[in-house]
């Protein structure tokens, strides 16, 4: 909550492209679907109380009795565009605006909202983008896919003859299910002896090594928060399905993963863009759901909550095979393979030495955050890969319901993840989401003023070109796209 209230980080978003040949994404249909989703997931029905008058002075979740969807769901008509590039710029603008807005934390509204972007005219076949935007305190990136999976199922099972009036349909009772426990209540978050020794060593000798390393590391502009609201800028890179399939095939043959490949390639592109830098540092988001006891039934597919940590890795220009003077070097597959091994080693620790566990030892988090302003950033970039989404609901033909309505077949053909810039985080965040059998979307998120737009444009162009080239070099195998989480 401190990050949000300070303007250091506002929200996360997953936008999905819904389509149907026999129906449109009307207000009533959206409200009907959201009613079901809210009933399934208790995280969608809570607010955060400061804790000043309860819970021993600690912030806590309070459950709302009901939600008025009319106050948190908006419908926007897409402008007429003549190219995919224009449409992408429009979507970038919408996500930038949404990720630069916070939430009303007074307690009357839930900590999420939905924006439906509809095509002009509303004809068939229907295509619409639905953006789910939420406060990070209630859910992580994977939760965005859980949300859209639930919406997709609800749309495909909803009757078109919804009889309630809009206002009545918009008032939704919240879930009565118990709220799923936070990370710290599930895992031990223990610290190994080796980690303690490493921490002591860094504290003793770290200042000398850090000064030498920091001078050579690119991290953009220092931590800053000059005005509120903090503005997030976004650029999306779309990689077509054929190239994604080739990249996946090549990763298999090189014994690496898409996440490990992107860790390496993004670092390489940054080192080539900022030629004076000798080092870059990557922070990679890791879901810790895999460590939870089975009886909790918390998985990547069915649960909404905040269960994530991060691992960090330093790279040098040499290990990344970075070129110079506008010439891209050869991609270092060996380093990508090592990255996957590093991730596997991190996962092998289980719930020990998890980065998020160290936050418990910060006595005054607000002072910690504000004390970093003006200092050099620790991380150059971050990678968040939420994996591959299956956008096909169970197949069925339009069939009649008992009340004379119809069920319709909806599908999702594209997903994209974005988030607010991290004032106290890396210079640029790279958010990755893919659709089974479809494209992979990489959204670059950064704080206005931290990295020049002209440099971001160079990064986007180089990243796209090098990914397409690696895809062309890979095998031409097509077919089912494996669920390569990589972390």
């Amino acid at each position: 909550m401190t990050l949000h209230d300070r303007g250091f980080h506002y929200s996360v978003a997953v936008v999905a492209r819904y389509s149907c040949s026999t129906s449109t994404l009307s207000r009533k249909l959206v409200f009907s679907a959201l009613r079901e989703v809210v009933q399934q997931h208790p995280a969608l029905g809570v607010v955060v109380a400061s804790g000043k008058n309860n819970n021993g002075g600690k912030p806590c979740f309070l459950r709302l009795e009901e939600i008025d969807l009319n106050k948190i769901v908006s419908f926007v008509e897409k402008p007429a565009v003549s190219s995919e590039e224009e449409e992408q710029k429009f979507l970038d603008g919408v996500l930038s605006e949404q990720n630069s807005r916070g939430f009303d934390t007074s307690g009357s509204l839930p900590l999420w909202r939905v924006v439906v972007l509809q095509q002009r005219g509303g004809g068939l076949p229907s295509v619409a983008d639905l953006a789910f935007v939420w406060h990070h305190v209630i859910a992580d990136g994977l939760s965005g896919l859980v949300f859209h999976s639930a919406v997709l199922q609800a749309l495909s099972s909803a009757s078109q003859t919804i009889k309630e009036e809009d206002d009545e349909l918009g008032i939704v009772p919240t879930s009565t299910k118990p709220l799923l426990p936070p990370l710290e209540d599930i895992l031990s978050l223990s610290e190994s002896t080796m980690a303690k020794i490493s921490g002591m060593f860094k504290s003793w000798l770290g200042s000398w090594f850090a000064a030498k390393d920091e001078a050579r590391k690119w991290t953009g502009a220092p931590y800053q928060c000059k005005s509120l609201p903090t503005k997030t800028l976004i650029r999306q890179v779309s990689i077509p399905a054929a190239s994604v399939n080739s990249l996946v095939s090549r990763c298999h043959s090189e014994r690496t993963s898409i996440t490990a490949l992107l860790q390496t390639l993004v670092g390489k592109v940054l080192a080539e863009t900022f030629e004076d830098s000798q080092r870059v540092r990557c922070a990679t988001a890791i879901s810790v759901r895999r460590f939870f006891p089975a009886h909790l039934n918390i998985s990547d597919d069915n649960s909404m909550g905040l269960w994530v940590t991060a691992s960090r890795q330093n790279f040098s220009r040499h290990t990344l095979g970075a070129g110079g003077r506008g010439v891209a070097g050869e991609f270092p597959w060996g380093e990508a393979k090592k990255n996957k091994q590093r991730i596997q080693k991190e996962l092998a620790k289980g719930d020990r030495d998890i980065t998020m566990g160290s936050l418990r030892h910060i006595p005054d988090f607000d002072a910690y955050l504000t004390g970093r302003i003006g200092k050099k950033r620790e991380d150059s970039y971050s990678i968040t890969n939420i994996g591959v989404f299956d956008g096909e609901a169970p197949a069925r033909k339009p069939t009649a319901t008992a009340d004379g309505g119809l069920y319709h077949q909806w599908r999702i053909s594209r997903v994209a993840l974005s988030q607010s810039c991290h004032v106290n985080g890396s210079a640029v965040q790279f958010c990755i989401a893919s659709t089974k059998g479809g494209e992979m979307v990489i959204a670059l998120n950064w704080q206005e003023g931290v990295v020049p737009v002209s440099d971001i444009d160079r990064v986007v162009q180089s990243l796209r070109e090098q990914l397409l080239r690696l895809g062309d070099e890979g095998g031409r195998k097509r077919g089912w796209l494996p669920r390569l989480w990589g972390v």
Side-chain angles (χ1 to χ4, degrees):
M1 288 300 295
T2 304
L3 291 172
H4 177 277
D5 295 344
R6 277 283 180 185
F8 280 25
H9 186 276
Y10 291 127
S11 64
V12 188
V14 171
V15 57
R17 181 157 297 162
Y18 289 77
S19 62
C20 182
S21 60
T22 58
S23 179
T24 59
L25 208 56
S26 67
R27 177 181 291 269
K28 286 187 177 182
L29 188 57
V30 170
F31 279 15
S32 175
L34 290 178
R35 173 181 288 263
E36 287 191 35
V37 177
V38 169
Q39 296 292 311
Q40 293 176 34
H41 297 286
L44 298 175
V46 299
V47 294
V48 175
S50 66
K52 291 180 179 180
N53 299 318
N54 53 44
N55 198 40
K58 297 179 180 180
C60 61
F61 286 118
L62 295 178
R63 194 189 302 266
L64 294 169
E65 291 187 4
E66 60 184 22
I67 295 171
D68 186 352
L69 296 178
N70 295 287
K71 295 181 179 179
I72 61 171
V73 180
S74 58
F75 291 78
V76 177
E77 188 177 81
K78 289 183 180 180
V81 296
S82 58
S83 66
E84 291 184 8
E85 183 178 353
E86 288 185 12
E87 182 174 36
Q88 189 110 306
K89 287 182 178 180
F90 170 72
L91 290 175
D92 288 347
V94 171
L95 290 174
S96 176
E97 189 272 334
Q98 289 296 322
N99 287 138
S100 299
R101 279 179 54 200
F103 291 88
D104 178 358
T105 57
S106 64
S108 59
L109 294 175
L111 301 175
W112 60 278
R113 57 182 175 261
V114 164
V115 182
V116 182
L117 307 172
Q118 299 173 308
Q119 62 188 9
R120 182 170 295 182
L124 297 176
S126 171
V127 179
D129 292 318
L130 189 152
F132 170 51
V133 188
W134 69 95
H135 193 309
H136 212 347
V137 74
I138 65 168
D140 53 24
L142 284 175
S143 300
L145 296 186
V146 173
F147 175 89
H148 281 290
S149 179
V151 170
L152 182 63
Q153 295 292 329
L155 287 174
S156 294
S157 62
S159 168
Q160 288 296 93
T161 57
I162 302 168
K163 297 178 180 179
E164 295 90 341
E165 294 299 321
D166 284 357
D167 290 341
E168 179 184 350
L169 188 64
I171 306 301
V172 178
T174 59
S175 174
T176 57
K177 296 179 181 179
L179 190 66
L180 295 173
L183 182 153
E184 60 269 24
D185 287 353
I186 304 174
L187 302 180
S188 66
L189 302 179
S190 60
E191 191 174 15
S192 66
T193 301
M194 184 57 68
K196 293 177 181 178
I197 293 174
S198 176
M200 291 168 58
F201 178 81
K202 289 178 181 178
S203 66
W204 292 337
L205 300 178
S207 58
W208 184 83
F209 284 107
K212 187 176 180 180
D213 183 63
E214 292 297 310
R216 300 181 297 173
K217 183 173 66 177
W218 177 83
T219 56
Y223 297 117
Q224 56 186 262
C225 190
K226 297 179 179 179
S227 62
L228 296 177
T230 307
K231 186 172 183 179
T232 295
L233 300 177
I234 293 176
R235 293 283 189 280
Q236 293 182 73
V237 179
S238 296
I239 306 301
S243 295
V244 174
N245 286 336
S246 295
L247 286 168
V248 170
S249 177
R250 183 68 184 275
C251 284
H252 280 166
S253 65
E254 298 287 349
R255 289 181 290 176
T256 187
S257 68
I258 289 293
T259 297
L261 177 146
L262 288 170
Q263 281 180 317
T264 310
L265 182 59
V266 169
K268 177 177 179 291
V269 168
L270 291 174
E272 290 170 344
T273 302
F274 304 99
E275 297 182 13
D276 292 338
S277 64
Q278 295 300 313
R279 303 183 69 83
V280 290
R281 189 188 195 203
C282 175
T284 303
I286 297 178
S287 171
V288 297
R289 301 170 189 222
R290 71 197 79 212
F291 304 132
F292 292 172
H295 69 85
L296 292 176
N297 193 31
I298 295 176
S299 72
D300 294 340
D301 302 317
N302 66 9
S303 309
M304 295 185 68
L306 179 58
W307 305 297
V308 68
T309 187
S311 67
R312 287 175 167 79
Q313 180 62 39
N314 289 297
F315 299 104
S316 68
R317 291 184 62 87
H318 174 71
T319 58
L320 292 170
R325 300 178 183 239
V327 178
E330 291 296 318
F331 182 73
W333 284 104
E335 189 65 23
K337 179 181 176 181
K338 290 179 182 178
N339 280 342
K340 182 179 180 182
Q341 293 170 345
R342 293 182 185 113
I343 293 172
Q344 291 173 330
K345 184 177 179 180
E346 192 75 20
L347 295 176
K349 296 178 182 178
D351 64 351
R352 293 180 303 137
D353 303 334
I354 288 179
T355 304
M356 295 300 292
S358 63
L359 296 179
R360 298 176 299 170
H361 305 306
I362 300 176
D364 188 336
F365 194 63
D366 186 69
Y368 166 76
L369 292 177
T370 55
R372 303 180 88 184
I373 297 297
K375 297 180 180 179
K376 184 166 183 173
R377 295 174 188 273
E378 295 178 359
D379 300 326
S380 309
Y381 63 104
S382 63
I383 296 286
T384 302
N385 183 5
I386 59 174
V388 182
F389 182 76
D390 186 351
E392 298 290 343
R396 71 158 60 144
K397 296 179 180 179
T399 53
T401 66
D403 57 4
L406 288 175
Y407 293 123
H408 297 274
Q409 185 67 31
W410 287 86
R411 66 185 299 268
I412 291 176
S413 59
R414 183 184 192 269
V415 290
L417 167 72
S418 71
Q419 61 178 309
S420 301
C421 62
H422 284 269
V423 170
N424 67 317
S426 59
V428 189
Q429 293 92 47
F430 292 77
C431 300
I432 302 102
S434 306
T435 312
K436 179 181 174 182
E439 64 188 302
M440 176 171 67
V441 181
I442 305 171
L444 286 71
N445 307 198
W446 76 101
Q447 182 183 354
E448 185 178 46
V450 170
V451 185
V453 174
S454 58
D455 288 335
I456 291 292
D457 289 339
R458 291 166 60 201
V459 170
V460 167
Q461 180 179 351
S462 180
L463 181 60
R464 179 186 289 111
E465 290 176 351
Q466 294 196 50
L467 277 171
L468 292 176
R469 186 172 69 245
L470 289 174
D472 289 340
E473 293 172 356
R476 297 295 181 178
K477 296 180 181 179
R478 295 177 180 270
W480 182 69
L481 180 59
R483 189 164 191 159
L484 271 184
W485 298 98
V487 295

